[in-house]
Amino acid sequence: MENMRKMSLSLVLLLVLSALLLPIQTLAHSTSNTGEPSLNPNRILNVAHRGASGHAPEHTLAAYELGEKMHGDYIEVDLQMTKDSVLIAMHDEKVNRTTNGTGYVKDKTLKEIKQLDAGSWFNKKYPEKANPAYVGLEVPTLEEVIRKFGRDARYYIETKSPEVYPGMEEELLRILNRYKLIGPNAPSSKVLIQSFSEESLSIVHSINPDIPLIQLISYSEPATITDEELDEIASYAVGIGASHTKIDQEYVQKVREHELLMHPYTVNTKEDMKKVLDWGVTGMFTNYPDRFNEVLRER
Ligand code: G3P
Ligand code: CA
């Protein structure tokens, strides 16, 4: 009898404790049906654009590490493909801007890419942020990034210039599959694939539909979008990315009415971060994930 009373008391205590802790957990992470932590669907996403690239040379492991340290929710990775079909993390088709080399990625083997210094340019361009540790940093391959940060990280991967690299989507999905990073086709997934090319996104889904897509849109004028265009995008993607300088509140609200995520790029000042948050965005790309978290804390 005494034992029964103790067990009931423990059960009540456990229930009270769980009720107290639940709101704390749902603020940050919940648990997916695979038993792994998934982001709260209402969380405003902080995407470390090219890593914490306001602080360290873009698309280096150092920039991605800082992005994680600064509590970015996603590491953003732009992809180019070498002559020998290896996916590497780089924004431009040419290596000129972000390494000490010259020429197109498509004309270089991985071995040649690996000889480049992807950090010194940053020290020269931003002496106030220079760090001797950046000298001689390598251009990472996608696989190296995934091996380093593993399945605990989240990746927001862009197929860059897909028309230049036939087969890049197959190679991307081969790697994601190898590291069990595919699925579900929902915003909670560990990997979002983004592209300005609708065709590239369509190739991704033709290979494996179990992966969430973000349609990037480049506007040269102030952006407008019709309900028909949004219905069409919602038929294959979970969200839209567009420059915060071209969209406005009306655009964001329209996107949200179609239950699509809205992730503006690249939002770097506190003023702009507050502006797009007020418009109702669901996250943003920023070179300063630390600054964005400060803004979120201040609200
Ligand atoms: O992917 C979102 C944003 O990064 C697109 O612009 O040129 O920085 O890749 P870009
Ligand atoms: Ca990008």
Side-chain angles (χ1 to χ4, degrees):
M1 192 65 183
E2 182 58 17
N3 276 352
M4 287 265 292
R5 227 163 50 89
K6 277 185 186 159
M7 268 174 63
S8 310
L9 197 63
S10 311
L11 196 65
V12 170
L13 273 172
L14 198 69
L15 286 172
V16 170
L17 209 63
S18 312
L20 285 172
L21 287 178
L22 191 63
I24 297 169
Q25 189 190 25
T26 51
L27 273 179
H29 293 85
S30 53
T31 302
S32 75
N33 54 9
T34 57
E36 290 172 350
S38 67
L39 290 176
N40 181 325
N42 296 322
R43 187 179 172 87
I44 304 285
L45 298 179
N46 184 340
V47 184
H49 181 248
R50 312 182 194 178
S53 58
H55 299 283
E58 67 183 59
H59 290 316
T60 60
L61 294 183
Y64 298 151
E65 267 173 346
L66 261 185
E68 284 237 306
K69 253 188 216 149
M70 293 173 171
H71 303 292
D73 295 309
Y74 282 84
I75 299 170
E76 200 238 358
V77 185
D78 293 318
L79 293 180
Q80 305 282 340
M81 194 156 82
T82 64
K83 191 177 173 182
D84 44 349
S85 303
V86 181
L87 293 175
I88 61 164
M90 188 171 286
H91 178 272
D92 301 356
E93 279 179 48
K94 282 180 161 182
V95 301
N96 302 39
R97 183 177 61 84
T98 56
T99 76
N100 59 343
T102 56
Y104 286 96
V105 173
K106 69 176 173 54
D107 296 331
K108 296 184 187 301
T109 62
L110 180 63
K111 195 172 170 199
E112 288 166 327
I113 293 283
K114 281 293 182 184
Q115 281 154 12
L116 303 174
D117 174 346
S120 292
W121 70 272
F122 183 88
N123 288 352
K124 277 179 211 133
K125 188 166 179 189
Y126 305 106
E128 72 287 2
K129 298 178 186 177
N131 182 335
Y134 297 157
V135 175
L137 286 178
E138 285 184 8
V139 174
T141 66
L142 174 64
E143 235 177 318
E144 285 166 349
V145 177
I146 291 174
R147 275 203 217 111
K148 168 127 185 98
F149 296 96
R151 302 192 71 259
D152 288 341
R154 291 170 190 280
Y155 304 92
Y156 206 128
I157 302 175
E158 180 175 355
T159 55
K160 278 278 183 218
S161 314
E163 64 288 351
V164 177
Y165 306 116
M168 84 182 305
E169 295 85 2
E170 283 83 355
E171 180 57 8
L172 169 58
L173 267 67
R174 185 191 69 76
I175 292 170
L176 295 179
N177 194 37
R178 180 168 180 200
Y179 293 94
K180 301 193 178 2
L181 282 167
I182 293 185
N185 181 357
S188 59
S189 188
K190 296 256 171 188
V191 175
L192 293 171
I193 296 184
Q194 46 163 341
S195 188
F196 286 103
S197 162
E198 187 180 338
E199 195 186 337
S200 181
L201 295 178
S202 157
I203 294 173
V204 169
H205 263 187
S206 72
I207 303 167
N208 193 332
D210 202 18
I211 193 155
L213 307 175
I214 301 286
Q215 180 67 62
L216 299 175
I217 309 178
S218 172
Y219 293 101
S220 48
E221 303 287 328
T224 57
I225 195 156
T226 64
D227 286 326
E228 291 69 33
E229 286 166 329
L230 285 163
D231 284 339
E232 156 67 10
I233 292 171
S235 71
Y236 61 88
V238 298
I240 289 179
S243 169
H244 76 95
T245 63
K246 295 294 190 301
I247 59 173
D248 58 14
Q249 180 155 21
E250 193 187 335
Y251 184 99
V252 173
Q253 291 299 318
K254 220 165 169 184
V255 171
R256 295 298 294 132
E257 277 160 22
H258 286 253
E259 296 184 0
L260 286 160
L261 302 177
M262 180 69 233
H263 295 163
Y265 61 83
T266 306
V267 191
N268 287 330
T269 67
K270 280 194 168 183
E271 195 188 349
D272 285 336
M273 288 168 183
K274 288 175 194 164
K275 174 191 74 178
V276 296
L277 283 173
D278 288 342
W279 289 348
V281 302
T282 56
M284 64 191 76
F285 297 85
T286 178
N287 298 345
Y288 299 93
D290 50 341
R291 195 174 289 171
F292 183 33
N293 277 327
E294 271 173 39
V295 167
L296 289 173
R297 274 197 299 274
E298 285 159 14
R299 281 169 85 88

